[in-house]
Amino acid sequence: MLKKYEHSKKKLTCNGCLYFYITYKKNRPWGCKKFGFISKFLPSIEVFNTTGTECAYKIKRIN
């Protein structure tokens, strides 16, 4: 699954997104509150591999 994402020229990451969180689970360390899942890979990679498009819900976190 990861190879499909590597061919994308523009890589969207979840860092700084309001919905991104760390689960601290060894097998599935990252999660997305908007889509409601936890994953072995970054949520942006999972969304791209599943839908073929980049995540449209990224909102910059304000500190």
Side-chain angles (χ1 to χ4, degrees):
M1 279 190 199
L2 192 57
K3 286 185 179 180
K4 186 176 178 184
Y5 183 76
E6 288 174 353
H7 294 295
S8 176
K9 292 179 182 177
K10 182 181 173 188
K11 294 183 180 180
L12 180 69
T13 61
C14 296
N15 295 339
C17 180
L18 179 66
Y19 303 119
F20 176 67
Y21 67 99
I22 299 172
T23 66
Y24 297 101
K25 294 182 181 181
K26 188 176 181 178
N27 295 329
R28 297 181 184 270
W30 295 296
C32 179
K33 294 176 187 174
K34 181 67 175 181
F35 287 105
F37 68 86
I38 59 176
S39 175
K40 184 176 181 178
F41 304 108
L42 284 173
S44 60
I45 294 172
E46 288 292 332
V47 169
F48 184 81
N49 287 337
T50 304
T51 64
T53 60
E54 292 183 358
C55 180
Y57 296 111
K58 182 174 180 177
I59 297 176
K60 188 173 182 177
R61 183 180 308 206
I62 300 172
N63 292 337

